[in-house]
Amino acid sequence: MPARSRLLPLYGLLCASCAWAQSAAPEPESVGDRFARNNAAPGIMLGPWKISPSSRQSVGYDDNIAYAAGDAATASPIAGLRGRLDIANEDGPDSLTLTAEIEQTWYTDASQFDHFDWSAEAAYGAQVSDYVRIRGTLGAASAETADATTDGIVIGGSFDPYVDLARYTRVPAALTLVFDTGRWQAMLAGEIVWSDYDDRLTAGGVLVDQSFRNGANSDIRLRAGWRATPGASLFVEGGANIQRYDDASADSDGWRAVAGAEFAFSRLLTGEVFAGYAAQSFSGGGEVTGLTYGAALTWFPTELISLTLTARRDFGAERTAQDAGGTITAPVTRDSVRLAAEYEPLRQMLARAEIGWGQDVYDGQDRRDERFFTGLGFDYVFTPRVRATLDWRYEERTSAVAGDATRNLVRLGLTTGY
């Protein structure tokens, strides 16, 4: 799975399957969201504007920085410094939020991985009429991260994996139009993401051009729904995507049609489920089709605990460069499932845990790559302006092509805000 697919959610580009059904009572709030709201720094108020600057200092250890297999793994203590600025105006039914963030990461035993990242985003929401609301986002980001996939180059029939971090620049834009009469709902959502990757280095010392990953991905979705009861809605949704790259042999087009339900049972179990059919075809030949599904469920067993289950099947491709030029495009069916828990044992403490699994099945090949991850985290608030965080994450990959790899990352941070 390309890094692009995993990182889109870090920038809040679009939640096309969000819970846009409205009701008189407020939507249930997860333990983590409530904890963040109750312990947020007061910020600086200038009329309707709230300005919230913050900074974070962190130290930790990464035992496989580039998530590489075997002897290619590189370990090092790490240190990070991040600055962030949030500006929000939520006066009345409309809202405008501006966010900017910069971060420097140092690896004391592997300075070749040192990097500087930045991101910025503007998000706007407006109530156009009693029944119509519009939302939009525009952002830009430059970051460096481990791919955690089977990306690499084929040399003489053998796979030579990347051993560096993927450095990319990305510009996302999204627009969503929601119509809701209380009984009938409709949503039209579109997004486009332009990405540009720096060249990558393999274990064999080959510098690989990334033109097969540079380009624009666009997606459009149309959903129509009917609220059967105050706590349950039924919907159908259709969508299409167009992926265009500098290397045209990596281009693809896809579509999907699904039906599902969105619900809030006794305000203890909320979320949505859907299933349907999808297809993705590739300019270089090949197509993958079949059942697609998804679920996003949150259970509130007590006021202090929330559990979230997400599962999804998508169709895509792995694009692998060759030393002779061109790329190999292999259709892939991707399944993933994740369970996350949040627990607030004290008003000033939040505990977090997650576990997940995923697999990529390659169409026409006897190949199946699997992934597993788990993690723990703790937030402790000394004052609304000062909090400490401790995070640990373990990742494991099994691949007959790229090799098996594991990664442990632990970080201790101190966040201060005004």
Side-chain angles (χ1 to χ4, degrees), residues 67-349:
Y67 200 15
D71 296 336
T74 302
S76 172
I78 58 177
L81 180 61
R82 184 186 71 190
R84 181 182 175 98
L85 179 65
D86 292 275
I87 302 175
N89 183 341
E90 297 183 354
D91 186 26
D94 300 342
S95 65
L96 175 62
T97 302
L98 306 174
T99 303
E101 184 174 291
I102 58 174
E103 182 172 13
Q104 175 67 48
T105 302
W106 296 273
Y107 296 88
T108 58
D109 293 345
S111 59
Q112 69 272 24
F113 291 111
D114 292 354
H115 58 273
F116 175 81
D117 302 333
W118 62 266
S119 66
E121 183 184 76
Y124 178 71
Q127 194 70 35
V128 179
S129 69
D130 292 342
Y131 301 139
V132 179
R133 184 166 182 82
I134 189 171
R135 301 191 304 271
T137 61
L138 177 64
S142 178
E144 195 165 335
T145 183
D147 255 342
T149 69
T150 56
D151 289 335
I153 185 173
V154 176
I155 300 181
S158 299
F159 187 79
D160 188 13
Y162 297 132
V163 292
D164 59 355
L165 300 178
R167 160 63 64 177
Y168 66 87
T169 300
R170 180 172 296 120
V171 178
L175 186 65
T176 303
L177 183 66
V178 177
F179 173 79
D180 191 339
T181 67
R183 176 67 70 176
W184 298 96
Q185 307 97 33
M187 178 184 69
L188 177 63
E191 68 172 332
I192 184 168
V193 182
W194 175 84
S195 301
D196 184 79
Y197 283 78
D198 289 355
D199 294 346
R200 301 291 308 278
L201 183 67
T202 71
V206 180
L207 196 63
V208 183
D209 178 73
Q210 300 293 295
S211 59
F212 60 95
R213 303 174 75 180
N214 300 335
N217 291 353
S218 56
D219 185 271
I220 187 168
R221 298 177 182 178
L222 176 62
R223 174 182 289 196
W226 172 65
R227 183 170 293 112
T229 68
S233 300
L234 305 176
F235 65 83
V236 293
E237 180 178 304
N241 68 82
I242 301 173
Q243 302 183 11
R244 296 292 181 265
Y245 301 95
D246 294 346
D247 180 353
S249 66
D251 293 351
S252 70
D253 300 282
W255 61 268
R256 74 169 190 160
V258 301
E262 187 179 52
F263 49 82
F265 292 144
S266 301
R267 315 203 68 76
L268 296 177
L269 178 65
T270 68
E272 71 172 30
V273 295
F274 64 83
Y277 195 82
Q280 195 79 19
S281 58
F282 310 94
S283 62
E287 183 180 39
V288 59
T289 63
L291 171 71
T292 183
Y293 59 83
L297 305 173
T298 301
W299 178 39
F300 302 86
T302 74
E303 291 185 357
L304 301 179
I305 299 175
S306 61
L307 303 174
T308 301
L309 173 68
T310 55
R312 192 172 182 92
R313 167 173 286 182
D314 291 301
F315 299 109
E318 283 291 353
R319 290 171 290 274
T320 305
Q322 301 179 87
D323 57 337
T327 60
I328 300 173
T329 301
V332 180
T333 301
R334 300 190 176 100
D335 293 283
S336 62
V337 61
R338 174 180 178 266
L339 177 64
E342 295 174 326
Y343 172 49
E344 189 179 3
L346 302 171
R347 182 174 179 84
Q348 69 271 31
M349 175 179 282

Side-chain angles (χ1 to χ4, degrees), residues 35-92:
F35 181 86
R37 177 174 54 80
N38 289 340
N39 294 285
I44 304 169
M45 298 304 301
L46 296 176
W49 296 91
K50 180 180 179 180
I51 302 174
S52 305
S54 64
S55 65
R56 182 175 186 265
Q57 305 79 43
S58 64
V59 294
Y61 186 80
D62 191 335
D63 71 355
N64 192 351
I65 299 170
Y67 200 15
D71 296 336
T74 302
S76 172
I78 58 177
L81 180 61
R82 184 186 71 190
R84 181 182 175 98
L85 179 65
D86 292 275
I87 302 175
N89 183 341
E90 297 183 354
D91 186 26

